[in-house]
Amino acid sequence: MKTVDVVVPLYNEENLVDELVRRLQSATAELSYSFRFIMVDDGSRDNTLAKIKAHQERDQRIIVISLSRNWGHQCAFNAGIDYADADAVILMDGDLEDPPEMISDFIKHWENGADVVYAKKNSRVESRFKKLLYRIFYSLMRRFSNVTIEKQVGMFSLLDRRAHAELKKCSEHNKYYVGLRSFVGFKQVQISYERHKRFSGKPKQTLDKLLTYGMNAIFSFSFLPMRLLTSFGIFLLGTIATVSTILFFARLFRFNFWPFYVLPGWTSLVLILLFISSIQLIFLGVIGEYVARVYDETRHRPHYIINRIYTAEHALQKSDTEELVISR
Ligand code: UDP
Ligand code: MG
């Protein structure tokens, strides 16, 4: 029988673990594949871990990877993706915005020869502000990225063994999986779906985390910031050359009408100076961002740290897992 691993990151989601497990079980009940549900507990401070472990006692297909602290959405996926080892690996958020019922659609396309199947959201249940941010982000990425990153496409996807193996080889820090998935290639199929409402609780991806996520995407999948820097430099040089030529001839032919008469105004000078230095500072920051990323890569720090992996065998030795919950 073919094997399928479903990777789900969870951070402080105690209120939806039961529903998530129930929906995963019923969505896969009719499918004749050997499933494993790899739940990555991303350093939750509530009862998420204990709850998943309770389910594990009843359903041995559940594997729990408990991380040493909160590492963030992409790192949690990273841990699950590294652990997964199956003919197909499915990635999905744990908040039920990605409906588990779509697993059968993914598998259908996979069986029809697709190596990567990813879902595109028809609607996004988000605040207006977030929607606007997403729109800006996607249009920037579409225009400037060197891999195709489509609108309204997220983590929800299936990867065939080969695509999964290649994705695992991408060992950079600050991963942006949506981009990497497109980067690895193979036969990719898109299916669309209605994004559901979060089953319970608030999004755990704060605006801050989302911005970092967006920055990772922009800086690792495009040279947009650097290109802007160069184009702006060229534009400025061109403008200055034109203006000085005009001024030179104006002086030569003694034009004394606006804007060619000479003003005492140091205000304009100071303003121009401030403007140019602020632009310089911004772009120094841009360069700093690249340097920081190079530095980050050279340190070879782990992408996540696992506290412990609970497989079904562990679940059976109940006493020693119980201790860990207390020590958390
Ligand atoms: N998540 C995580 N670590 C984090 C933040 C989120 O593992 O630091 C999980 C979260 O529990 C959920 C999934 O990642 O299962 C998606 O998170 P969320 O719904 O908060 O993000 P959004 O839908 O806003 O992108
Ligand atoms: Mg969500």
Side-chain angles (χ1 to χ4, degrees), residues 93 95 97 195 198 203:
D93 280 354
D95 55 4
E97 279 181 284
R195 188 139 162 113
R198 191 172 228 285

Side-chain angles (χ1 to χ4, degrees), residues 71 81 198 303:
W71 287 77
I81 288 171
R198 191 172 228 285
H303 301 196

Side-chain angles (χ1 to χ4, degrees), residues 8-13 40 42 70-73 76 93-95 97 124 126 130 134 195 198 202-205 209-210:
V8 190
L10 293 165
Y11 175 52
N12 293 344
E13 306 283 17
V40 185
D42 190 14
N70 178 233
W71 287 77
H73 181 244
D93 280 354
D95 55 4
E97 279 181 284
R124 208 172 177 123
E126 301 280 9
K130 261 195 182 171
Y134 280 117
R195 188 139 162 113
R198 191 172 228 285
K202 287 211 171 91
K204 307 301 180 298
Q205 296 260 69
K209 278 183 181 169
L210 281 178

Side-chain angles (χ1 to χ4, degrees), residues 70-134:
N70 178 233
W71 287 77
H73 181 244
Q74 296 286 292
C75 292
F77 266 116
N78 200 165
I81 288 171
D82 285 351
Y83 185 88
D85 178 18
D87 296 320
V89 177
I90 292 175
L91 312 175
M92 60 176 270
D93 280 354
D95 55 4
L96 295 169
E97 279 181 284
D98 301 338
E101 292 69 30
M102 276 188 63
I103 290 178
S104 59
D105 297 330
F106 280 139
I107 290 180
K108 221 178 285 162
H109 283 90
W110 171 52
E111 289 293 8
N112 285 337
D115 298 301
V116 175
V117 188
Y118 60 91
K120 180 175 173 158
K121 299 150 215 170
N122 278 338
S123 59
R124 208 172 177 123
V125 198
E126 301 280 9
S127 68
R128 272 209 190 146
F129 178 62
K130 261 195 182 171
K131 264 190 184 158
L132 179 74
L133 281 185
Y134 280 117

